[in-house]
Amino acid sequence: MKFRIGVIGLRRGMSFVDVFRLMPDAAVTAVCDADESRLAWFDEQRGGATLLTRYEALLNADVDIIVVASPAPLHAQHSIAALEAGKHVISEVPAVWSLEEAEQLLNAARRSKAKYFFAENCCYWHFVEVWRDWVAAG
């Protein structure tokens, strides 16, 4: 099975596009950005995906997973909408801007059959792992 990926936000989202291009079981099939010049650049440089300017169109696109790399204040809203549309979510940081948004996102993830993945990777930095080990050792 090849996973069909949609990406909202072609600034930060380009790192995901480039990683998915290396994966034989994934294909970026739709990209969304409000900036039409960024979409045109994407089409020239990468191509092969449906270009969208409205997030609602991405929610209705034939994708399995939506990468939420839109401006940070929209991450919770976009993730919740994707989960409600039955799309799996990979969300950039930060996931939320308030405790209220955190509760809304948690509830959406619990209601959805789709999976939510928070794409934070700082926890894997070597010094963070060392600090964790120090704390665990007392």
Side-chain angles (χ1 to χ4, degrees), residues 32-105:
C32 180
D33 200 293
D35 184 343
E36 291 185 20
S37 65
R38 190 169 311 286
L39 288 170
W41 174 88
F42 176 90
D43 201 32
E44 268 181 35
Q45 299 298 314
R46 303 295 191 281
T50 301
L51 308 175
L52 306 165
T53 57
R54 298 183 43 84
Y55 187 55
E56 295 77 17
L58 182 58
L59 292 173
N60 292 317
D62 192 19
V63 297
D64 306 301
I65 301 166
I66 293 181
V67 174
V68 176
S70 51
L74 299 173
H75 289 178
Q77 173 188 336
H78 286 162
S79 294
I80 292 166
L83 290 166
E84 289 174 348
K87 311 292 184 182
H88 300 294
V89 173
I90 299 173
S91 177
E92 260 292 0
V93 299
V96 299
W97 284 79
S98 68
L99 289 176
E100 181 182 356
E101 280 187 342
E103 185 174 14
Q104 292 168 355
L105 179 57

